[in-house]
Amino acid sequence: MRGALVLMGLAGAGTLAAIATPLRDQPVPTPTAGEVRRLEAKLGIILSEGLAGFRSPPGAPQSPPDRARPLDQYVRHYAFVTLRSEAFTTISSPDPALAAADFTGRRIAGVLVLESVMQRPAGVVLTHRRDGLPEVSHQGCAVVNVVYDPVADRLLSTWCNVP
């Protein structure tokens, strides 16, 4: 009887260990092709309307605003992030008019980098957050940042990096 109890205890411990496997050992999802298609349909419209970047850095002579290029000229990196806990861009508050609640939760973050800056052909790259999105400082509209809510199918914000 005692042997059976020991075996049951070992089986229970093995089950608990399997259930308690740390999440970091589990695969992290990437955005689906459908989510990216919906995001890029909205993003393509914004870029075609002429997304403008910052005019010029403080203290520099005023210049015409930088403009984003068509979507197909960028290497487009997308990953799921939980915003307010993960930074992925050079500026922390892209649009102060948006309520903070719009950014909280699981979102798709995008960092688009011109192929000439990335030195690779344009296209989509789906990545896990832990693998990281590109971290490119400045570069103006050669780098476009995106925040998308896939549940609401809403593009929350799109902006160019600082010059």
Side-chain angles (χ1 to χ4, degrees):
M1 176 88 163
R2 189 167 231 196
L5 289 174
V6 169
L7 287 175
M8 285 175 45
L10 289 174
T15 302
L16 180 61
I19 293 171
T21 302
L23 288 177
R24 68 179 177 273
D25 293 339
Q26 302 300 317
V28 176
T30 57
T32 67
E35 290 166 331
V36 170
R37 269 193 303 277
R38 289 192 306 273
L39 181 162
E40 288 197 338
K42 294 174 183 343
L43 182 58
I45 292 168
I46 289 173
L47 295 182
S48 69
E49 291 174 351
L51 176 69
F54 299 88
R55 286 188 65 86
S56 52
Q62 288 296 313
S63 61
D66 193 9
R67 297 252 179 229
R69 306 276 176 30
L71 193 58
D72 64 357
Q73 293 183 19
Y74 289 94
V75 180
R76 304 174 310 273
H77 297 82
Y78 299 110
F80 276 119
V81 297
T82 301
L83 291 181
R84 309 211 107 260
S85 66
E86 297 183 64
F88 67 93
T89 181
T90 58
I91 57 178
S92 60
S93 183
D95 187 349
L98 287 173
D102 284 339
F103 281 87
T104 60
R106 189 172 181 174
R107 305 290 182 241
I108 295 176
V111 178
L112 290 65
V113 184
L114 281 178
E115 54 189 343
S116 60
V117 174
M118 263 327 257
Q119 297 183 352
R120 61 179 288 189
V124 173
V125 178
L126 301 179
T127 185
H128 302 288
R129 178 61 193 133
R130 70 175 173 231
D131 296 339
L133 293 165
E135 294 182 17
V136 182
S137 296
H138 306 291
Q139 301 285 333
C141 286
V143 180
V144 175
N145 301 278
V146 177
V147 178
Y148 174 75
D149 180 345
V151 174
D153 187 24
R154 198 171 105 187
L155 197 57
L156 300 176
S157 191
T158 306
W159 69 99
C160 296
N161 268 12
V162 296

